[in-house]
Amino acid sequence: MLAGVLFYGLYSAFANMSSNLAEQRIASGFGFLAHPAGFGIAQALIPWSEAMTYARAYLVGLLNTLLVSLVAIFFSTILGFFVGIIRLTPNWTLSQLAKWYVEIVRNLPLLFQILFWYLAVLATMPAPRSAISILDVAFISQRGIALPRLVYGDGAGIWLTALVLAVGCLFLYRRWSKAHQPRLKRGWFLPYAAVATVLGAWLIIDSPFSFAIPKQERFNLTGGLTILPEFAALLIALTVYSSAFIGEIVRAGIQAVPKGQVEAGRALGIGNSLLLRFIVIPQAMRIIIPLLTSQYLNIIKNSSLGVTIGYPELVSVGGTMLNQTGQAIEVVGMWMMTYLTISLATSLFMNWYNTRMALVER
Amino acid sequence: MFSRSIKIFMGGVIAAAAALTHGALAAGPTLQKIKERGELACGVSQGIGGFSMPDSSGKWTGLDVDFCRAIAAAVFNDASKVQFVALSAKDRFTALQSGSVDLLSRNTTWTMSRETTLGMSFAVVNFYDGQGLLANKSLGVASVKDLSGATVCLTSGTTHEMNLADYFRTYDLKYEAIVFVTADETIKAFESGRCDVYTADMSAVYAQKSKLKQPDDYAVLPELISKEPLGPAVRQGDAEWANIVKWTHFAMVNAEEFGVNHANIAEMRKSQNPEIRRLLGLEGNLGETLGLSNDWADRIVAQVGNYGEVFEANLGAQSPLAIKRGVNALWSKGGLQYAPPMR
């Protein structure tokens, strides 16, 4: 019956919406996605030009959202674990530092922090013509960080394939040897094998790689790889903000491990760092992972605040689409479905990881 | 657990859709709604000098703002009965479509697709503009054609994004666009040096330039890269309301043409000129045919002023912007402002 009511509700809402739109002569449908977009996007991970379609523009925005979210998740996890563990050290100064870091960062609005990094920090860098030079290959200016760009020459593909194969083989070998010869002393062998493989391939193909160094031109530094200040500000703000929350999650997780476990470890004469690595953290992870999942979801959703500083993510690019075409309902629907899909995929992955960790524990 | 969260989500969607559609259904003829509410809900920009800007005491001034006041004077005989709704370029169309504002008087460019797909109807052009660019003098740029490789700051949801792309494509110039949500964020980023160039409607370029800390360090480039006819817009499908908006502007232009202004209106009421007598509602019933009273245009001029007065006070010689009348002069003086006869 619930399904029936739901269906009727949905149907009448949709019918109502369609007739209202038709009455107001507002065009509807997704046909606009195939039209040329006609606007520029400052950062695109895939080739982009104004003559390409709105669908492609949306994809460019989606990739920008995923890029900043994934990198922020990576760094905030590392920083968060660091902060959480520091906070529990017996060293008074360090733990107080970590405490105040958490309290300050956690209690300031994220939007404020994004604007702080963008307007108060990155905007005060020098102009491109007087950029800070690092060994004349990398430059920092208010237009972003210009780095040398890797240029792939002939044979780069073969070389990369060889590298992937070599790493794959090493990985398989390691698993196999672990399973069959647990006591074999093989630690010294692996790195040498890896280096030999890579160098061998390099020598055979005669280095297919080169670097394009950024050059100072009339308006900007061009030719290299540029990290936009919008990206940098959003990334730093998301990382710092989330690391405070992750720090608290890690602290809670560690403190929830029964004291007896630590005492038992000490009784066996295990040192502090080993105790943390092999006894405390693995048990704390069971508590940490579900909470970490919500933090990751928050990072992904919060990345939409990038729109305020002009970072071309989903909401920014979608907003331009919405305004150029007027397809508000369609674009808002696309936003909802996209964020829902990314979030559900993230939580499915984290739940899978959680189950795996839990099984290993018991 | 999964299916339950989907059900909850769907419930939310239905509630949202119901809320969305309810407003539109309840909306009757706009004039009726405004009279019941007791004030006009007028969508204006968040702060562009000369068009709509709140001053330190919160009082709004500008050409677009005065147009809202003129309509309030015509409808309520009280130019102050306006609720100004400050809208970003991005939100303005949705605000009009959904009925949160009765009228968009927000330096909005009249384009074909906005009328054919957005359900909007542009009433008149009350300011003929074009897109201009502002650059730092230290770059030594004399023309837009010198800008290949430049970074450009602009506001999203405007025609500027497309015009810029079109122009740079036409002349095969490279550029990088950094897009912000509000005009304020955009000019701040430009001033901090994030971009080489700032672009907007020429009138807005002058207005923003006057707000910079060192306006003399910047130069407006000579080219206009587009046509930007700006004017008030209403929702389609309410001809009565569209007529009121349209003829409010025409009454102000006609008043200027006949020399009827704020200062001399009492005297003009004694005029024997039939055109002036019709304008002021002393002859005929033009006001009643609009759904208002016959002295509607008299009230507009007495409380707000004629087109020329409003222009001079907000944009022209009496304002900090000092924009010349140019194409916005009356047709009789070589401009494009031409109002159909009131008869």
Side-chain angles (χ1 to χ4, degrees):
Chain A
M1 203 193 85
L2 183 65
V5 172
L6 261 176
F7 180 77
Y8 178 74
L10 267 182
Y11 172 78
S12 58
F14 182 76
N16 203 354
M17 181 187 82
S18 310
S19 73
N20 273 325
L21 286 177
E23 204 170 292
Q24 288 193 50
R25 288 160 212 254
I26 298 171
S28 59
F30 287 94
F32 73 95
L33 285 174
H35 298 166
F39 56 86
I41 303 177
Q43 174 187 307
L45 297 181
I46 49 174
W48 169 252
S49 87
E50 290 83 358
M52 290 176 180
T53 61
Y54 281 113
R56 177 104 173 176
Y58 194 78
L59 186 62
V60 170
L62 173 63
L63 290 175
N64 285 342
T65 287
L66 290 177
L67 177 73
V68 79
S69 309
L70 290 178
V71 180
I73 283 174
F74 178 76
F75 285 119
S76 63
T77 307
I78 294 175
L79 190 58
F81 268 78
F82 185 69
V83 169
I85 290 169
I86 295 259
R87 225 190 135 167
L88 291 173
T89 54
N91 183 324
W92 188 84
T93 323
L94 279 181
S95 74
Q96 284 297 305
L97 268 177
K99 179 184 163 190
W100 284 104
Y101 173 82
V102 167
E103 291 307 329
I104 292 171
V105 166
R106 195 166 67 139
N107 288 302
L108 291 173
L110 177 57
L111 183 59
F112 166 79
Q113 295 192 32
I114 292 174
L115 292 173
F116 169 78
W117 289 106
Y118 188 61
L119 294 173
V121 180
L122 296 177
T124 54
M125 295 289 144
R129 285 189 197 180
S130 44
I132 303 168
S133 158
I134 300 166
L135 301 172
D136 273 340
V137 290
F139 300 90
I140 300 172
S141 75
Q142 61 193 166
R143 301 289 165 80
I145 303 161
L147 300 170
R149 184 165 52 89
L150 195 63
V151 181
Y152 302 102
D154 292 334
I158 303 172
W159 192 85
L160 280 176
T161 317
L163 184 68
V164 169
L165 281 175
V167 170
C169 288
L170 283 172
F171 180 71
L172 286 178
Y173 168 74
R174 193 161 165 253
R175 273 188 72 166
W176 174 83
S177 63
K178 222 177 186 176
H180 292 89
Q181 297 157 286
R183 273 181 237 154
L184 181 69
K185 292 212 169 178
R186 64 197 177 277
W188 59 272
F189 173 69
L190 289 170
Y192 288 109
V195 171
T197 318
V198 170
L199 278 183
W202 187 285
L203 287 174
I204 291 164
I205 303 170
D206 191 24
S207 185
F209 298 104
S210 58
F211 286 99
I213 311 283
K215 278 195 299 277
Q216 284 176 310
E217 288 192 355
R218 181 165 192 185
F219 293 110
N220 212 339
L221 291 149
T222 56
L225 174 82
T226 306
I227 298 172
L228 293 183
E230 288 77 26
F231 175 81
L234 184 60
L235 176 65
I236 297 171
L238 282 175
T239 302
V240 168
Y241 184 72
S242 308
S243 72
F245 289 90
I246 293 176
E248 286 297 89
I249 291 170
V250 169
R251 180 171 72 105
I254 290 176
Q255 284 181 330
V257 173
K259 220 179 165 191
Q261 295 285 323
V262 180
E263 284 163 355
R266 290 245 164 79
L268 289 172
I270 300 175
N272 255 342
S273 72
L274 288 181
L275 190 74
L276 204 61
R277 217 173 116 199
F278 290 112
I279 297 177
V280 179
I281 301 249
Q283 296 187 68
M285 284 309 274
R286 283 194 298 183
I287 300 154
I288 293 174
I289 291 172
L291 298 171
L292 214 49
T293 308
S294 358
Q295 277 312 310
Y296 289 174
L297 296 185
N298 278 343
I299 292 178
I300 294 167
K301 289 179 289 179
N302 284 340
S303 71
S304 62
L305 288 171
V307 69
T308 52
I309 54 167
Y311 178 66
E313 43 74 67
L314 261 184
V315 175
S316 170
V317 174
T320 297
M321 283 168 62
L322 192 161
N323 272 280
Q324 304 297 0
T325 62
Q327 309 288 321
I329 290 173
E330 288 80 358
V331 173
V332 172
M334 282 166 72
W335 274 333
M336 284 167 66
M337 288 321 293
T338 311
Y339 279 106
L340 198 65
T341 311
I342 302 175
S343 295
L344 287 178
T346 310
S347 79
L348 279 178
F349 173 77
M350 291 301 283
N351 286 344
W352 166 80
Y353 184 60
N354 191 29
T355 339
R356 202 167 151 253
M357 289 303 279
L359 279 177
V360 169
E361 284 310 310
R362 277 164 200 156
Chain B
M1 192 189 98
F2 200 74
S3 69
R4 196 178 63 203
S5 53
I6 286 188
K7 273 178 203 158
I8 293 171
F9 169 73
M10 285 309 188
V13 170
I14 294 171
L20 194 80
T21 48
H22 179 74
L25 280 182
T30 315
L31 182 61
Q32 192 59 34
K33 207 174 85 185
I34 295 167
K35 281 185 173 159
E36 277 164 20
R37 196 193 300 130
E39 60 181 0
L40 172 75
C42 204
V44 295
S45 80
Q46 291 158 312
I48 293 184
F51 287 91
S52 74
M53 266 288 256
D55 65 13
S56 52
S57 63
K59 187 176 153 47
W60 287 85
T61 57
L63 184 82
D64 287 339
V65 163
D66 279 346
F67 189 75
C68 300
R69 293 210 174 96
I71 294 203
V75 174
F76 296 114
N77 188 20
D78 184 351
S80 69
K81 287 197 172 168
V82 187
Q83 178 205 347
F84 292 106
V85 183
L87 299 169
S88 72
K90 223 176 149 192
D91 300 333
R92 57 187 163 175
F93 304 132
T94 321
L96 181 68
Q97 287 166 349
S98 65
S100 344
V101 294
D102 307 309
L103 164 76
L104 206 57
S105 177
R106 195 206 167 283
N107 50 3
T108 298
T109 305
W110 186 342
T111 70
M112 183 164 169
S113 65
R114 284 175 180 173
E115 286 203 321
T116 54
T117 63
L118 295 192
M120 304 170 64
S121 187
F122 283 85
V124 288
V125 176
N126 65 355
F127 191 85
Y128 290 93
D129 208 342
Q131 184 172 348
L133 295 99
L134 184 67
N136 196 314
K137 278 182 188 164
S138 71
L139 292 172
V141 175
S143 151
V144 179
K145 310 246 166 45
D146 298 337
L147 286 177
S148 195
T151 307
V152 185
C153 279
L154 48 84
T155 310
S156 84
T158 59
T159 40
H160 311 137
E161 269 182 279
M162 308 286 233
N163 295 336
L164 189 79
D166 283 358
Y167 192 88
F168 277 64
R169 248 161 87 195
T170 309
Y171 293 97
D172 197 25
L173 310 167
K174 282 202 196 85
Y175 74 102
E176 187 176 84
I178 310 291
V179 181
F180 297 87
V181 181
T182 70
D184 244 21
E185 285 162 356
T186 317
I187 195 73
K188 243 183 235 152
F190 169 70
E191 193 169 24
S192 78
R194 176 65 187 94
C195 303
D196 301 303
V197 200
Y198 167 81
T199 185
D201 289 341
M202 195 53 113
S203 56
V205 167
Y206 277 107
Q208 298 288 24
K209 181 174 180 253
S210 71
K211 283 202 290 189
L212 294 173
K213 279 184 210 102
Q214 259 124 19
D216 295 338
D217 290 356
Y218 302 90
V220 176
L221 300 182
E223 290 96 342
L224 279 181
I225 66 170
S226 69
K227 288 185 287 191
E228 308 285 335
L230 309 181
V234 295
R235 279 182 298 279
Q236 275 178 26
D238 187 345
E240 178 194 51
W241 179 237
N243 277 342
I244 291 175
V245 173
K246 208 188 297 178
W247 284 96
T248 295
H249 174 68
F250 289 148
M252 290 166 82
V253 173
N254 277 326
E256 186 188 3
E257 194 177 333
F258 305 148
V260 180
N261 59 38
H262 188 72
N264 69 8
I265 191 155
E267 224 166 289
M268 283 295 179
R269 287 186 192 124
K270 295 174 208 142
S271 166
Q272 291 310 307
N273 180 333
E275 285 192 301
I276 292 175
R277 291 184 67 78
R278 278 199 298 275
L279 173 76
L280 299 182
L282 303 167
E283 268 175 31
N285 65 342
L286 288 175
E288 278 167 14
T289 59
L290 271 184
L292 304 171
S293 60
N294 278 332
D295 62 343
W296 64 287
D298 181 315
R299 298 200 299 253
I300 292 171
V301 180
Q303 295 181 25
V304 183
N306 68 33
Y307 181 75
E309 284 179 288
V310 169
F311 189 102
E312 288 307 325
N314 294 306
L315 301 165
Q318 295 165 38
S319 78
L321 299 181
I323 295 176
K324 294 197 176 67
R325 278 297 284 272
V327 286
N328 287 296
L330 291 182
W331 65 283
S332 50
K333 291 181 182 155
L336 292 172
Q337 285 297 346
Y338 187 107
M342 296 174 68
R343 56 166 63 253

